[in-house]
Amino acid sequence: MAAFAVQLRRMHGEVGRVIQQYAARQHLHVTDVQALAAILDAPEPMTPTGLRAVLGLTSGAVTACVDRLERAGQVRRVREDTDRRVVHLHYAAAARAAARTHFRPLADALIRSGADFDEHELTVVLRFLTALNDALAEVPGLPADR
């Protein structure tokens, strides 16, 4: 398992490097890019409350993040028709296209990396990564007194 940990840290570093480059090019914070990913990956329209839960930020920090993203043209706030109190966050089309272009090399690397694995092996890898992410989501943060 130590070899897994080393490779996961390495992968985290490589992905983090590409995320930091994108954030710098778009004049965003890394947290803003994490918010964009959460909005993109959400199975349903993302709300600021949902974003707060995913990112583990305070409501004030989420408001500041969404404000920055809106000013930068990355997201749009859209009020729900049936309940105007509910705000959905939508990834702006032009911003999505810019992100797709920047992150295309990551997608290409994923395709290249998987080319030598058969469907069964990829299914096992996906099952492992899903189980790992589920377990990591349950790991508590540091105690408040630290």
Side-chain angles (χ1 to χ4, degrees):
M1 290 313 265
F4 277 106
V6 168
Q7 291 305 317
L8 287 170
R9 282 192 298 273
R10 181 176 169 209
M11 182 181 70
H12 181 267
E14 294 300 332
V15 171
R17 177 181 54 79
V18 176
I19 289 170
Q20 288 174 348
Q21 289 170 345
Y22 182 74
R25 286 183 181 148
Q26 296 296 316
H27 308 288
L28 300 171
H29 298 171
V30 170
T31 302
D32 299 342
V33 180
Q34 292 170 335
L36 289 171
I39 293 166
L40 180 66
D41 294 341
E44 297 176 356
M46 182 62 78
T47 64
T49 301
L51 195 56
R52 179 179 183 222
V54 170
L55 298 179
L57 298 174
T58 65
S59 59
V62 167
T63 299
C65 175
V66 173
D67 287 347
R68 284 192 305 271
L69 289 171
E70 192 172 41
R71 277 193 309 273
Q74 299 285 324
V75 299
R76 293 178 299 110
R77 286 179 169 111
V78 178
R79 293 206 178 270
E80 190 176 88
D81 288 337
T82 57
D83 184 349
R84 303 283 296 154
R85 295 171 297 177
V86 177
V87 174
H88 290 145
L89 305 172
H90 294 276
Y91 208 141
R96 187 185 292 236
R100 190 174 288 124
T101 298
H102 180 86
F103 289 105
R104 183 75 225 175
L106 284 182
D108 293 343
L110 177 65
I111 291 166
R112 282 192 316 276
S113 299
D116 292 335
F117 295 86
D118 66 34
E119 189 172 332
H120 174 73
E121 290 171 315
L122 291 173
T123 300
V124 171
V125 171
L126 179 59
R127 190 168 62 97
F128 171 76
L129 291 173
T130 301
L132 176 61
N133 282 324
D134 290 347
L136 290 173
E138 295 175 6
V139 173
L142 291 174
D145 62 341
R146 291 205 174 179

